[in-house]
Amino acid sequence: MSQILRRLAVVIPLVAGATVSVLPWAGAMADRPHHESRPLLRSLAPKPDFLIPCVLVGANSHACVTESVAAIDNGRRAEGLSKRLVLPHNFVTLTPAEQAFVVVNLERVDRGLRPFAGMVARLNRAARAAAMVQVDPNPARSLLLGLGVHMFKTIWADDYGVLGSTYEWMYDDGYAGWRTTNVGCRYRGAPDCWAHRAGILTSFTGLPVLLAGFGSERVEAGARSVAAVLTGGHGRRPHFTYSWREALRHGADGHRSR
């Protein structure tokens, strides 16, 4: 998928290259999410703009998290989704990769899609290797076969925090003239416009086991590179380094522990 980069030096979002992948042995899959919201017709600049607080006081600061969540909630309202983003209460203690896993899953479940059950070490390594060199992940075929994966999608972004990357993937992924953040969307109607959003909201219909890998690395000027491998398949669930159940136990999506 198209990759996203925002650099403080120019205060203008910039971007880079793209990948969506279906393994050749996989059947046709429905990619359309089932949710009450309507598709976004235009790319939305974040309101409030979380860039400055996230740069000045850090991605895990109260100001950065609060303003990023507010921007995401405003983006949701713009598409007719009334549900607000509710992070787990231990969000800032999670690793950036775990944070990305949580927020991507929240974007799915709040639209009626199944969450990825958990993060898998082998997929995490593939995602982190990509994050380190700031490209889309390219997991080995043997790795995917070993996990029973039939379909996968990959995304990558550089931004000042995981919530910022998720905002760009979900709400600012279309053509926006001079401030377009998606390099695969250089003109209206380009093939990769909204490709990140489509990848995150893939339904993986007919594939019961949803696994993910996330990786992150700090890059220049304090920005953070984040990459993900999102998969659906028929394999057994391997050991998870972090699971959706754990996120729910800590209050993700307003869930109450029992």
Side-chain angles (χ1 to χ4, degrees), residues 20-197:
V20 177
S21 305
V22 180
L23 298 189
W25 59 88
M29 293 294 154
D31 285 356
R32 299 178 64 183
H34 308 288
H35 56 82
E36 63 185 40
S37 61
R38 58 182 177 268
L40 286 171
L41 299 178
R42 62 186 178 87
S43 208
L44 303 174
K47 293 183 179 179
D49 189 343
F50 46 78
L51 179 61
I52 298 303
C54 293
V55 171
L56 293 181
V57 289
N60 279 334
S61 67
H62 178 75
C64 178
V65 172
T66 299
E67 295 211 1
S68 298
V69 170
I72 288 172
D73 285 343
N74 284 331
R76 288 178 167 207
R77 280 191 288 272
E79 66 172 274
L81 187 67
S82 58
K83 192 163 187 181
R84 299 178 65 183
L85 184 77
V86 180
L87 301 174
H89 57 72
N90 67 337
F91 183 76
V92 299
T93 70
L94 300 176
T95 68
E98 291 166 346
Q99 290 177 343
F101 169 80
V102 168
V103 181
V104 164
N105 262 348
L106 286 171
E107 294 289 22
R108 290 178 60 83
V109 300
D110 287 349
R111 293 170 173 80
L113 294 168
R114 293 173 295 150
F116 296 100
M119 297 170 61
V120 179
R122 285 172 284 174
L123 294 176
N124 293 342
R125 285 194 288 271
R128 185 166 185 269
M132 291 177 69
V133 293
Q134 298 167 274
V135 298
D136 286 342
N138 183 25
R141 179 187 173 98
S142 59
L143 165 60
L144 299 172
L145 281 171
L147 291 171
V149 170
H150 281 240
M151 181 181 187
F152 74 101
K153 304 212 171 184
T154 64
I155 54 178
W156 167 79
D158 276 355
D159 210 319
Y160 293 89
V162 165
L163 287 163
S165 291
T166 306
Y167 182 89
E168 306 299 339
W169 284 335
M170 289 292 297
Y171 305 100
D172 201 8
D173 201 34
Y175 180 73
W178 62 268
R179 62 166 204 84
T180 299
T181 61
N182 183 341
V183 80
C185 187
R186 293 299 193 187
Y187 57 89
R188 295 188 190 281
D192 284 335
C193 291
W194 300 105
H196 296 91
R197 181 183 172 92

